[in-house]
Amino acid sequence: MALSGQVTYSDRGTFFIIENEGIALQAFTNGSHMITSGSIVDVEGTLQLEEFIPSVSATIVQSKGFSNFPELSARGIDCYNEANHCKRVRAAGTVISIESKGENHEILLEENGVLCRAALTGAVADFEALALENGCRIVVSGPYFANAKESINPVIYLNSIDDIQVLNRPWIFGTMHAHTLVFGLLLAVALIWIWTVSLRLKVTKRTRELVDVTGRLRAAYEANQSAIAVVDKDGLVLECNAKFADSFGYALAIGDSFEQFHQHVLEHASNAPAVAEAWDALAANPAAEDTFEMQCNVKTEGIFEVHSAPVGDGTNRPRVWSFHDLTEKKQLQRSLVQAQKMEAIGRLAGGIAHDFNNLLTGIMGNLEIAKLNKDLPLGQSLELIVSAEAAAQRASVLIKQLLGYSRKSTLEICPGNMNDIVYELVGLLKHSVDTSIRIDVTIADDLWGALMDSTHLEQVLMNLCVNARDALPETGGRISIETENITRPEGDFVCVSVKDNGSGISKAAQMRIFEPFFTTKEQGKGTGLGLAMSYGIVKQHNGVIECQSEVGIGTSFRVFIPRSEEGASLERNDAIVDLPVADGSGRILVADDEEVVRAVCSGMLRRHGYEVSTVGDGKEALEYLASGAKVDLVILDLTMPRMSGKETLIQVRRRYPQIPVIISSGYLVDLDAFAGEVGSRPDAFVAKPFVINSMLRAVAECLKTSGVQPV
């Protein structure tokens, strides 16, 4: 048979014990194999059954190396029996006799009435130097041999003197021992004194180092731009810096109640309910960590990022609070968002200017032809005028879209039609992309209404389309825009997708594309705020924006906006049909610094039965009213010299509250925002350039609502 294992005992190469995974056996050889204890061997031979364990008469023994014995735990010799026969053990016992004959040494051990022998061959000098004596407590290591005869004690065979470990020796007091004891005591006292002095020096050194570190930490603590405090489980301040007084006008000090500072903050926080909710959640869970924003108006209006986290382990651990001032950062972000919008407008400007010049060419050309060919039949002249008017209307749409895109405003969410936004977007986009780029539009005819702010969502889609355009090669490529109804686990959504077959976005960049100031574009070609702003707008709509992209294949952005329960008109308003407006009567004062605008407006109104007077600015308008002239309605331009339309409106409301006022301007006017800024709201707004019916309708409605009795 063949077997392998580690040699735990060897007797002159003729007899050795092999053990492998708790199984041991004896092996006998002819003495030609010099095998030492600890060797790893392969053995082949004839198996023979012995009384306790099998043995092998080995014919082939091959050594494969050497290894230290595995560490064993010491147990009393009374813990071993026949089951441990031939196995390596580590046994403890008390020496009761020692017998040495030449190189053979035998130690008799006792433990709880159980006797065991430990046998060692050789190492005479080392054994004598060990100075064993009766009463010594020792631990021996080696293979354990049980005996079938009860009269013969078991034996543990030791390989070397290293297999004996002395635990302690018996105490026998005598003169020599007394001198040794005194010397030992004196030595111990000296060592203790040296250790004490050394310890004091170390403590002094560490104390100085701790003071230095504490000083540096305190300096860094006070120099931090954030207000920082450490609060114990009872709400008392353990540490704090002086930044609280600068940021909140509250001189927080060590030992103060942090709850009093909390109440001080809530009294001045404009978002107090949200702050209180976050604060209470942290108080209810000592292990919680959170970060939230707080708007606090103590000295000046400020925005703070509040972070709180527990310190150390356990339920009664203190908590650290930090209040970082974000006011300047937020202001900078808002400014950069507006700058990014203007940057996108700049990209569109070239294409829009080209098309606007074409429209002006159509307007001026048709009117020039009508002017030079005075003998043309009336029908042909009318065709030229209608063509010029159509070009002017298309130019007006371009300008309104541009103004609506670039102005600053808050979200006004109401039921709307996503298809209308897409139609307007495509009309604007065609002016800003190369004609070699194909724009595909897929519109869902049964699209649900959506809860949205049309202006802001058009801005989001324009950002996505501009990014898609920038990802395409200089010529060629495709941008696809699609609307559809989608049901997600969160509910029903209207989805609009913007896809391109451009360069794509790497996986690493996709993880950061919605971060503010992150951009993959070259320096100077983007602020890195477009997608961050788009993400924020979509989130304000309680919507979702997703990106899928593969480098070299293209990119797809999908925007999900919640469905409107009220529904929305899904009829596309390609053009507003102007219904005829009946003639009226009344006295109207038109104030505008542009003579051509005054002439057009007064001509339109006079043609429909109104008496019209015109002035060049707001000051002249007030002088005309003060002259006693009868006026039923005032039409004001916003930007005029000497006195603007806003200032004039305030004065008219104060002096002549019964006279209705219409504001007419080339700028888009939000009447609610206008009223908040000026303190007075006009009765109507008519955007320039206007068609006659829109002006006539506003005039008639104002006169009717005001109750003014026209002449």
Side-chain angles (χ1 to χ4, degrees):
M1 67 166 291
L3 56 93
S4 62
Q6 185 177 24
V7 175
T8 60
Y9 179 76
S10 175
D11 185 7
R12 299 181 178 86
T14 60
F15 166 75
F16 52 91
I17 299 172
I18 303 173
E19 186 173 343
N20 187 8
E21 296 183 357
I23 299 174
L25 54 78
Q26 305 169 111
F28 299 92
T29 69
N30 56 12
S32 60
H33 304 287
M34 296 306 294
I35 302 299
T36 60
S37 177
S39 298
I40 307 297
V41 298
D42 289 334
V43 177
E44 293 185 12
T46 303
L47 180 66
Q48 297 176 357
L49 297 177
E50 296 292 331
E51 185 169 1
F52 291 112
I53 64 169
S55 64
V56 174
S57 179
T59 57
I60 300 176
V61 180
Q62 292 182 343
S63 176
K64 298 194 298 183
F66 179 85
S67 175
N68 293 326
F69 291 119
E71 191 69 28
L72 297 175
S73 299
R75 301 167 62 190
I77 59 175
D78 58 326
C79 296
Y80 300 103
N81 52 37
E82 290 85 353
N84 303 101
H85 186 63
C86 269
K87 296 180 183 178
R88 186 172 178 273
V89 300
R90 191 161 183 260
T94 302
V95 177
I96 60 174
S97 70
I98 303 170
E99 184 176 349
S100 297
K101 294 180 179 180
E103 292 186 349
N104 298 319
H105 313 285
E106 188 173 284
I107 307 168
L108 186 61
L109 302 174
E110 184 270 338
E111 184 78 4
N112 295 327
V114 177
L115 300 177
C116 179
R117 294 174 296 152
L120 174 66
T121 300
V124 176
D126 292 336
F127 186 81
E128 292 176 352
L130 198 60
L132 290 179
E133 55 185 326
N134 293 343
C136 287
R137 181 122 181 117
I138 66 173
V139 174
V140 293
S141 301
Y144 178 89
F145 273 76
N147 250 294
K149 298 179 180 180
E150 293 184 1
S151 59
I152 302 177
N153 297 318
V155 62
I156 298 174
Y157 287 104
L158 310 179
N159 288 294
S160 69
I161 196 69
D162 295 331
D163 290 336
I164 302 174
Q165 178 185 357
V166 179
L167 298 180
N168 54 55
R169 299 179 182 275
W171 174 258
I172 302 175
F173 191 81
T175 304
M176 184 172 181
H177 287 289
H179 291 170
T180 303
L181 178 62
V182 171
F183 177 76
L185 289 175
L186 292 175
L187 180 61
V189 171
L191 291 175
I192 291 173
W193 182 82
I194 293 172
W195 177 81
T196 303
V197 172
S198 175
L199 183 61
R200 286 179 179 176
L201 292 175
K202 289 181 180 179
V203 169
T204 302
K205 180 181 178 181
R206 293 290 186 268
T207 302
R208 290 174 181 172
E209 291 176 352
L210 184 60
V211 170
D212 292 341
V213 171
T214 303
R216 289 195 294 269
L217 286 176
R218 169 55 64 181
Y221 199 52
E222 293 296 342
N224 199 294
Q225 293 300 306
S226 301
I228 302 175
V230 180
V231 183
D232 68 10
K233 64 182 181 63
D234 298 320
L236 298 179
V237 177
L238 300 176
E239 287 288 345
C240 65
N241 60 5
K243 198 67 178 177
F244 284 90
D246 298 335
S247 300
F248 303 103
Y250 190 96
L252 192 67
I254 295 174
D256 287 354
S257 169
F258 200 64
E259 178 62 24
Q260 293 181 359
F261 169 73
H262 176 207
Q263 296 302 323
H264 172 79
V265 166
L266 289 182
E267 290 174 3
H268 297 85
S270 55
N271 61 335
V275 173
E277 181 180 356
W279 213 297
D280 293 342
L282 290 169
N285 185 2
E289 179 177 351
D290 194 14
T291 300
F292 56 91
E293 284 191 5
M294 177 178 69
Q295 299 171 6
C296 193
N297 307 320
V298 179
K299 292 185 173 181
T300 58
E301 183 176 354
I303 302 174
F304 294 86
E305 180 184 65
V306 183
H307 178 76
S308 179
V311 179
D313 300 323
T315 55
N316 294 326
R317 49 187 167 174
R319 177 174 288 276
V320 63
W321 291 82
S322 69
F323 301 80
H324 185 64
D325 194 341
L326 299 177
T327 308
E328 291 185 7
K329 180 180 178 181
K330 292 290 185 180
Q331 291 172 347
L332 179 60
Q333 285 180 345
R334 285 193 290 266
S335 299
L336 287 176
V337 165
Q338 185 67 10
Q340 194 274 339
K341 291 169 63 177
M342 299 311 300
E343 178 194 7
I345 289 296
R347 295 182 183 180
L348 299 174
I352 290 176
H354 173 268
D355 284 281
F356 196 72
N357 282 331
N358 286 341
L359 294 173
L360 287 177
T361 301
I363 296 170
M364 297 173 65
N366 281 296
L367 295 178
E368 187 72 17
I369 293 172
K371 176 181 176 183
L372 295 175
N373 295 277
K374 298 178 181 179
D375 298 331
L376 282 175
L378 180 60
Q380 293 184 20
S381 297
L382 188 59
E383 270 184 34
L384 294 171
I385 294 173
V386 169
S387 178
E389 181 186 20
Q393 287 178 346
R394 290 197 298 274
S396 173
V397 170
L398 275 177
I399 295 301
K400 287 180 180 178
Q401 287 177 328
L402 207 56
L403 286 172
Y405 179 77
S406 64
R407 70 191 178 110
K408 295 167 68 175
S409 59
T410 56
L411 261 62
E412 298 179 0
I413 295 179
C414 59
N417 179 11
M418 188 70 74
N419 284 345
D420 285 345
I421 296 180
V422 172
Y423 283 125
E424 292 182 12
L425 173 69
V426 172
L428 188 60
L429 192 62
K430 286 180 178 178
H431 302 288
S432 62
V433 300
D434 191 275
T435 54
S436 64
I437 296 176
R438 195 174 82 190
I439 301 176
D440 295 335
V441 181
T442 304
I443 296 298
D445 295 331
D446 59 344
L447 194 67
W448 297 324
L451 289 170
M452 61 187 187
D453 182 308
S454 299
T455 300
H456 283 81
L457 280 183
E458 184 173 352
Q459 181 179 337
V460 170
L461 297 181
M462 176 57 75
N463 280 336
L464 298 180
C465 289
V466 169
N467 285 344
R469 182 200 65 183
D470 291 346
L472 296 174
E474 293 185 2
T475 57
R478 182 179 69 254
I479 299 175
S480 301
I481 305 173
E482 179 182 359
T483 60
E484 58 183 326
N485 298 324
I486 294 290
T487 298
R488 295 166 60 97
E490 311 95 293
D492 293 337
F493 292 83
V494 173
C495 175
V496 56
S497 306
V498 177
K499 305 176 184 178
D500 66 73
N501 61 344
S503 56
I505 307 171
S506 68
K507 294 294 183 184
Q510 288 182 51
M511 302 295 290
R512 301 184 59 197
I513 54 175
F514 295 116
E515 293 181 12
F517 311 111
F518 177 78
T519 179
T520 58
K521 299 178 182 179
E522 298 177 12
Q523 187 171 1
K525 291 189 176 181
T527 61
L529 285 172
L531 285 177
M533 180 180 63
S534 299
Y535 179 86
I537 292 174
V538 172
K539 284 300 181 184
Q540 282 183 284
H541 282 79
N542 294 319
V544 179
I545 181 170
E546 296 177 345
C547 172
Q548 291 182 338
S549 184
E550 188 172 344
V551 175
I553 302 299
T555 302
S556 171
F557 280 93
R558 303 179 78 198
V559 176
F560 300 87
I561 302 300
R563 176 183 182 178
S564 168
E565 296 297 333
E566 301 177 20
S569 172
L570 301 183
E571 297 290 332
R572 183 189 168 200
N573 297 322
D574 290 319
I576 298 174
V577 179
D578 284 328
L579 299 176
V581 179
D583 292 348
S585 62
R587 293 168 294 233
I588 300 175
L589 175 63
V590 177
D592 198 300
D593 60 329
E594 289 287 346
E595 183 177 354
V596 65
V597 176
R598 295 198 301 270
V600 169
C601 187
S602 60
M604 288 179 176
L605 294 172
R606 286 176 182 139
R607 184 177 178 83
H608 287 78
Y610 295 99
E611 297 180 22
V612 182
S613 300
T614 63
V615 293
D617 57 45
K619 190 172 183 180
E620 290 182 10
L622 293 178
E623 291 173 352
Y624 182 85
L625 291 171
S627 68
K630 300 296 183 182
V631 175
D632 298 318
L633 175 69
V634 176
I635 300 175
L636 294 175
D637 181 30
L638 277 182
T639 55
M640 296 183 292
R642 297 206 297 173
M643 182 178 286
S644 69
K646 293 179 181 179
E647 296 172 311
T648 307
L649 173 64
I650 294 172
Q651 295 300 321
V652 170
R653 284 284 189 257
R654 184 179 302 161
R655 302 180 190 181
Y656 313 100
Q658 77 283 2
I659 300 178
V661 178
I662 295 175
I663 292 293
S664 180
S665 175
Y667 293 101
L668 294 178
V669 174
D670 183 328
L671 291 181
D672 291 333
F674 184 91
E677 178 185 353
V678 178
S680 182
R681 182 188 182 99
D683 295 273
F685 169 73
V686 178
K688 295 178 182 177
F690 52 77
V691 294
I692 184 61
N693 277 358
S694 63
M695 178 60 79
L696 290 175
R697 194 175 289 110
V699 168
E701 186 65 28
C702 286
L703 289 175
K704 178 181 177 181
T705 304
S706 67
V708 175
Q709 297 297 326
V711 176

